[in-house]
Amino acid sequence: MDNAPDTNEPLPDGVDPIQVATVLASLLDADDFASVAKMLSDDVEYRIGDAAHQGPDAVVASYRDGSALARRIFEEVEYSHEIVGLVGERTVRIDYADNLSANGEHIEHHSIQDVEVGHDGRIVTITDQPVADQQERIAAFLARHGLTRDESPSS
């Protein structure tokens, strides 16, 4: 018997996917990864491009590593988000904005994620959605400042 949650079944009263997604996004903005882990189902999947991270530990590690990398590369890093809204009965779209700076220049980098909430109110899937020109914009910004994803700005 398959114990996976039935994603076609309505959510029980009191489980609001927008509220769940808002809390998740706020915790990610604050780099509160211990609290993020508690919001993820045991079999959560985070799909980003052709890769997939399975389980809370792998998902949290991906977010933690991404934030640590940003903080190594950029002089200033500030995260924020906007809830775009429901894109399915249980799925909420979030627009994350990473406000970054290097050598006095600022850039706002956006990423979009669809977050599906399971029957128990925990996150079951997170799917990155492509955002036009964002990868090219951040690559050009890094190149202008002589930065790579492996180093920090020179003093």
Side-chain angles (χ1 to χ4, degrees):
M1 175 186 257
D2 185 2
N3 290 328
D6 180 0
T7 57
N8 294 319
E9 191 176 316
L11 290 171
D13 290 341
V15 176
D16 177 358
I18 290 179
Q19 181 180 18
V20 172
T22 300
V23 170
L24 174 71
S26 296
L27 293 171
L28 287 170
D29 289 347
D31 283 351
D32 185 350
F33 302 113
S35 296
V36 167
K38 294 175 186 173
M39 297 191 68
L40 305 176
S41 72
D42 295 338
D43 58 350
V44 65
E45 182 177 61
Y46 175 24
R47 302 174 193 136
I48 181 166
D50 293 331
H53 304 282
Q54 291 285 148
D57 291 343
V59 171
V60 167
S62 177
Y63 282 119
R64 182 184 296 119
D65 293 350
S67 184
L69 178 63
R71 292 180 191 288
R72 278 195 310 273
I73 294 173
F74 299 102
E75 295 162 356
E76 294 179 31
V77 176
E78 183 179 314
Y79 300 122
S80 62
H81 69 275
E82 177 183 343
I83 301 298
V84 177
L86 288 170
V87 293
E89 185 176 332
R90 298 172 165 214
T91 305
V92 178
R93 181 158 290 168
I94 305 169
D95 178 353
Y96 290 97
D98 303 346
N99 297 290
L100 312 166
S101 69
N103 302 318
E105 183 183 355
H106 298 273
I107 187 170
E108 185 172 277
H109 176 265
H110 287 267
S111 60
I112 303 288
Q113 292 183 344
D114 291 343
V115 174
E116 182 183 359
V117 177
H119 194 264
D120 64 356
R122 295 190 300 160
I123 309 293
V124 293
T125 59
I126 302 166
T127 306
D128 254 28
Q129 300 297 335
V131 180
D133 299 331
Q134 289 301 295
Q135 293 304 318
E136 294 83 1
R137 286 182 65 241
I138 199 72
F141 183 88
L142 291 169
R144 268 195 311 279
H145 295 284
L147 302 172
T148 68
R149 295 181 186 265
D150 298 326
E151 61 186 60
S152 60
S154 55
S155 309

